Amino acid sequence: MTTTTLIKPNTYIDSVSLMSISTKANALPGVRQAFCAMGTAMNKEVLDGLGLTNDGITAATPGDLLLVLVTEGTTDADETMRAMEELLVRKPRSGQEDQATYRSITAAAGGRPAANLAVISVNGTFAAGQAHEALDAGLNVMMFSDNVSVDDEIALKRKAHDSGLLMMGPDCGTAILGGVGLCFANKVRRGSIGIVGASGTGSQEMSVRVHDFGAGVSQLIGTGGRDLSQQIGGIMALDAIDLLDADPETRVLVVVSKPPADSVAETILDRLAQSEKPSVVCFLGASDALIALGAAKGVAVFNRTKPAALAAVVASGVDESTLDLHPLNWPLIEEVRAKLAPGQRFIRGIFGGGTLCDESMFLAMEKYDNVYSNLRAGDFKLTGKDVSREHTFLDFGEDEFTNGKPHPMIDPSNRIQRFLQEAADPETGVIVLDFELGYASNPDPVGVMIPAIRQAKADAAAAGRHLEVLAYVLGTEEDPQGYDSQVAQLADAGVTWASSSTNTGLLAREFVWKGDNA
Amino acid sequence: MRTRVEVISADAELVRAVTAASRWRVHSAFRHAVNFRDEAGQIWTMGARQMVDGPHAARLDLDNLDELGLETGDPFDVSRVVNFDRSLSWMPAAAAMPDASAVRELERAIAALPAPEEGPFAKAAAFALAERRRAFADSPPAELINRATALVGLGTGLTPSGDDFLAGYAFVCAQLAPEHPALAAVAAAVDASATTDVSQLMIRNALLGRAAQPLHRLLSALSDRDGVHDAVLAVAAIGHHSGVDLLSGVLAALNGLTTKGTR
């Protein structure tokens, strides 16, 4: 066993990073224990108490960072200390030779004539100006920023349209262009299905279901959530459809969105009807009238993601009879119903993905009248501060929850309190959680929630109740977090997991169904 | 010319300090907050929009201070980079003494918080911390300085846990019982024993009854008996475990102040 110490003078690490560094350092090969703390007298005393002090530590000041490593005898202690030191370094954004930092988008466009896309993720106040600069420099734009005015959005999209460029966003969370995933995208197979997405997690779900059904995605073009509103009129969605229609790699066109404005929905359907390529539309929560309108125009319109993805996959040439369609598991539903007490009647959905929340909510609304949400208006509207009422679906990605916090797809920890609250409510029949994998998401979204799930389950058992937790992991086995290991953690904690967003909503509403006595 | 970054809100003392001398230097830079040192050695903090108001701090209309590209030691001319013209002035309200049942509610809300994940050092320090916090809270007046000193700088983070506890404790005493002997003891302890610069600043402000806004909100929630749970969550969200440690100090002080006959 070897003890190695390193003192970094005048080095300040905030406590959240310190915790993360400490966790990673303790996972380095050959490390028995790794310590990372400021050199205050009392901290030095603690290290002394552990028999880990030396002259250097004794001389350290409170502004110095102490790194102490206890390694196995056979481990190269210096090498391991270097690895620990590496963890302290904030990864430079221009660390590779083919990367460079420019002071403006115009300068970057000049310095990189081969580049054709700018991703803009700055404060909304400055985002429109940056996007104009990018478009003027001949770049396509993906704008992750939100809080951009409708007027700015219209001006940017018109400019992009006139210049033959893409203006994805504002508030565009997902795109896959030429096989490259941008922002919150999942790693999916390349193929012949082109997706136009006006909803972030809706697009992710569509691409992941297509992948799961064995097909692949040619391009996924995000438009931003407001594109199909009356004011914007689907400028970007229509341009994206034109592009995919002309793209020889794309053989099937898919549009996915939350419910659009009626006139815009009709325009989109008319445009798709003109294409010779088969088209599939998923307007979540679409009315029967809208579905019939699509049918009249020869466009398949669905109000759920999974059947829409299946239709697209089949249209791309996959034989449906070869697919595992993940039908609803009725024995499981019966088993859960039997475990719930008569009073455990309600679904409590605590979502990070807005469209996933929408889909489960719409499915519940097909069966129940008493569904409340921060995504609904009028009598069924709840705010983030309200306690849950009957069936409640909360989108934790909404501003009221993210104000002062990262998006729950990056930091799911702000759902934990709400989860524990719902778990303690004896009227809760099932708690529904979603976890998004992919490039920009939390490195272990399920892991963050597991201690709370275990605690809540133990508390419920002590109170003589069954606590049913239903989870959905949006991702593929190729995502950096690893789908299988995320699901395995859920299974290990006694959580039921659903195979798709659609099944999540269906399972939740069936679990708590009390038959005619409801 | 580059547009200056708007300040959303700022401690009036910070605005006064900038007016007097605006050439600062970066003390430490994080994604959502940057600490600066002015020419007189005083520490000031500028945080992103989502950070909380507090003493010696300003909130900028930015999501992320990485955009400023600052690193430790960089010079920073405040008045050229940020614009205070539309800034709100942060002024915390004075609090009233909550009753014992409110303190019980606080205790329950704190008990329901999930324990923060802890590294091995924090675990090693945790036992000493728990012992010393208890010893301080139960201390006879003559022992207060020694027992406070034993907490200064103890634990992980830029504001070690022992400091957070003392800050929470001192803040409550300064707000509700300005004659409390713990105030002089904490002041003497922090003078005598070194801790991080940021931590010293936090404790010195707490001794004046000034703390991050969520702590002020918590005291008013307790005296109004309204929104205690949410206020506790807001404090707990400060830092990795700073919030929870601050809460333990607040609770210990309130327990002392509202339990009759024990002192």
Side-chain angles (χ1 to χ4, degrees):
Chain A
M1 205 172 74
T2 313
T3 302
T4 318
T5 57
L6 181 68
I7 292 150
K8 311 270 292 178
N10 295 318
T11 301
Y12 303 92
I13 307 279
D14 68 284
S15 39
V16 179
S17 307
L18 209 54
M19 181 61 235
S20 152
I21 289 161
S22 173
T23 305
K24 287 176 188 161
N26 277 281
L28 290 171
V31 170
R32 280 203 175 182
Q33 282 190 316
F35 300 98
C36 197
M38 303 305 289
T40 64
M42 287 304 148
N43 285 343
K44 292 190 277 187
E45 196 181 307
V46 172
L47 286 171
D48 193 26
L50 294 165
L52 295 173
T53 195
N54 60 26
D55 291 347
I57 290 177
T58 310
T61 73
D64 302 339
L65 184 70
L66 309 180
L67 303 182
V68 183
L69 262 183
V70 183
T71 47
E72 307 288 354
T74 53
T75 305
D76 182 338
D78 293 338
E79 184 58 36
T80 311
M81 180 57 90
R82 272 193 290 278
M84 184 167 175
E85 244 188 304
E86 274 285 297
L87 296 172
L88 301 177
V89 180
R90 276 215 278 174
K91 298 287 178 277
R93 278 169 285 173
S94 52
Q96 293 171 13
E97 282 180 13
D98 65 343
Q99 293 184 341
T101 303
Y102 296 94
R103 289 187 172 273
S104 71
I105 287 182
T106 308
R112 295 279 157 146
N116 62 3
L117 174 85
V119 176
I120 294 176
S121 175
V122 299
N123 182 300
T125 317
F126 312 116
Q130 294 296 315
H132 276 295
E133 196 179 327
L135 292 171
D136 290 341
L139 299 171
N140 297 290
V141 173
M142 175 175 186
M143 190 191 277
F144 190 72
S145 313
D146 57 4
N147 291 316
V148 174
S149 72
V150 169
D151 289 343
D152 279 336
E153 181 170 350
I154 292 171
L156 286 165
K157 284 185 166 166
R158 285 192 178 147
K159 179 184 274 190
H161 174 82
D162 292 343
S163 319
L165 295 167
L166 296 174
M167 178 62 224
M168 299 184 285
D171 199 15
C172 176
T174 303
I176 304 174
L177 301 176
V180 178
L182 299 170
C183 302
F184 288 132
N186 298 90
K187 184 138 173 52
V188 297
R189 195 179 300 109
R190 288 208 74 179
S192 62
I193 296 175
I195 301 172
V196 178
S199 79
T201 42
S203 307
Q204 284 184 265
E205 174 66 9
M206 194 58 71
S207 68
V208 165
R209 288 281 67 74
V210 162
H211 176 94
D212 184 46
F213 284 139
V217 173
S218 57
Q219 312 286 344
L220 191 171
I221 302 176
T223 66
R226 275 195 311 226
D227 194 67
L228 301 189
S229 65
Q230 193 71 50
Q231 299 116 305
I232 312 289
I235 303 173
M236 179 65 229
L238 291 166
D239 281 354
I241 293 170
D242 287 346
L243 274 172
L244 295 177
D245 200 10
D247 173 28
E249 279 184 41
T250 300
R251 295 209 303 270
V252 179
L253 305 176
V254 175
V255 174
V256 55
S257 171
K258 293 182 184 182
D262 288 346
S263 63
V264 182
E266 191 161 355
T267 309
I268 297 287
L269 293 176
D270 284 339
R271 172 62 192 85
L272 290 171
Q274 287 169 18
S275 173
E276 290 181 0
K277 297 180 179 179
S279 304
V280 173
V281 171
C282 175
F283 288 147
L284 281 176
S287 62
D288 291 344
L290 188 53
I291 293 172
L293 182 68
K297 292 177 189 291
V299 178
V301 176
F302 295 86
N303 57 7
R304 302 176 187 179
T305 51
K306 184 172 136 183
L310 179 62
V313 168
V314 170
S316 78
V318 173
D319 178 359
E320 186 175 343
S321 68
T322 63
L323 298 177
D324 178 356
L325 299 179
H326 303 293
L328 268 200
N329 184 342
W330 283 100
L332 169 72
I333 291 168
E334 293 302 335
E335 188 186 318
V336 173
R337 284 179 181 172
K339 286 181 190 167
L340 297 179
Q344 293 184 282
R345 292 179 294 154
F346 299 122
I347 308 168
R348 299 290 160 78
I350 313 174
F351 286 86
T355 309
L356 304 186
C357 185
D358 261 330
E359 181 160 27
S360 281
M361 180 179 80
F362 285 132
L363 287 167
M365 284 161 62
E366 288 177 9
K367 192 148 186 154
Y368 304 107
D369 294 329
N370 46 352
V371 176
Y372 295 82
S373 173
N374 62 336
L375 298 177
R376 296 194 72 181
D379 292 347
F380 295 99
K381 170 89 181 166
L382 283 184
T383 73
K385 286 194 160 189
D386 293 328
V387 292
S388 293
R389 286 185 67 181
E390 304 183 357
H391 300 292
T392 293
F393 292 81
L394 295 173
D395 172 12
F396 268 66
E398 284 288 294
D399 288 350
E400 58 188 317
F401 291 110
T402 55
N403 190 9
K405 291 264 193 184
H407 191 279
M409 282 164 62
I410 298 167
D411 176 9
S413 58
N414 62 353
R415 286 194 295 173
I416 290 176
Q417 283 308 321
R418 188 67 183 221
F419 170 79
L420 291 171
Q421 228 172 303
E422 302 302 342
D425 182 345
E427 291 195 322
T428 297
V430 57
I431 300 182
V432 188
L433 300 170
D434 62 329
F435 300 99
E436 287 77 21
L437 312 186
Y439 294 110
S441 297
N442 186 287
D444 182 14
V446 170
V448 177
M449 203 75 189
I450 289 289
I453 293 174
R454 289 190 190 281
Q455 184 192 326
K457 281 198 164 258
D459 290 349
R465 275 186 292 121
H466 170 70
L467 176 66
E468 182 62 26
V469 181
L470 173 66
Y472 173 52
V473 177
L474 195 179
T476 71
E477 71 282 0
E478 293 178 33
D479 277 323
Q481 296 89 346
Y483 180 82
D484 291 344
S485 65
Q486 292 288 303
V487 169
Q489 287 189 70
L490 290 170
D492 192 45
V495 174
T496 306
W497 54 277
S499 59
S500 64
S501 167
T502 303
N503 279 21
T504 306
L506 292 172
L507 284 172
R509 75 180 194 186
E510 294 306 332
F511 283 170
V512 296
W513 177 246
K514 304 290 180 192
D516 294 331
N517 298 326
Chain B
M1 190 183 135
R2 185 183 160 164
T3 319
R4 288 186 298 168
V5 178
E6 295 290 333
V7 178
I8 298 171
S9 54
D11 180 7
E13 282 196 25
L14 183 146
V15 181
R16 270 197 295 277
V18 174
T19 312
S22 83
R23 287 176 185 278
W24 295 355
R25 208 165 268 284
V26 177
H27 168 277
S28 44
F30 308 108
R31 191 171 297 271
H32 294 124
V34 177
N35 297 310
F36 300 92
R37 201 190 279 283
D38 66 14
E39 285 168 0
Q42 189 66 256
I43 302 245
W44 306 95
T45 303
M46 298 225 178
R49 179 188 304 118
Q50 65 270 31
M51 301 299 279
V52 295
D53 285 314
H56 283 225
R59 284 194 303 133
L60 306 186
D61 192 12
L62 290 176
D63 288 331
N64 186 329
L65 269 57
D66 277 354
E67 289 174 33
L68 299 174
L70 296 172
E71 291 187 9
T72 300
D74 283 352
F76 185 80
D77 189 336
V78 191
S79 52
R80 289 175 72 98
V81 181
V82 298
N83 179 18
F84 288 91
D85 293 350
R86 278 179 271 175
S87 158
L88 301 170
S89 188
W90 174 71
M91 275 179 295
M97 182 73 83
D99 62 25
S101 62
V103 179
R104 295 288 77 74
E105 189 180 349
L106 171 67
E107 197 161 13
R108 281 194 299 276
I110 294 174
L113 291 172
E117 194 191 340
E118 299 210 293
F121 186 87
K123 281 180 189 154
F127 181 72
L129 260 171
E131 284 283 293
R132 292 175 194 190
R133 283 199 305 232
R134 222 175 0 256
F136 176 78
D138 296 340
S139 175
E143 275 297 307
L144 271 169
I145 294 179
N146 287 338
R147 295 184 184 186
T149 307
L151 279 161
V152 176
L154 178 62
T156 54
L158 201 50
T159 58
S161 296
D163 294 347
D164 288 319
F165 170 85
L166 288 174
Y169 199 103
F171 166 69
V172 169
C173 292
Q175 280 277 340
L176 304 175
E179 304 296 321
H180 199 290
L183 290 169
V186 173
V190 78
D191 281 344
S193 44
T195 184
T196 67
D197 302 331
V198 178
S199 221
Q200 281 193 35
L201 177 68
M202 172 185 66
I203 297 177
R204 294 217 161 93
N205 273 303
L207 288 164
L208 301 170
R210 289 158 53 81
Q213 177 60 21
L215 282 156
H216 290 276
R217 189 179 136 208
L218 174 63
L219 279 197
S220 27
L222 285 166
S223 54
D224 299 346
R225 291 302 298 276
D226 183 26
V228 173
H229 182 73
D230 285 347
V232 165
L233 293 185
V235 177
I238 299 173
H240 176 63
H241 54 59
S242 283
V244 175
D245 293 322
L246 284 161
L247 285 168
S248 69
V250 168
L251 179 63
L254 286 172
N255 266 331
L257 293 173
T258 54
T259 312
K260 291 187 174 64
T262 56
R263 286 185 196 278

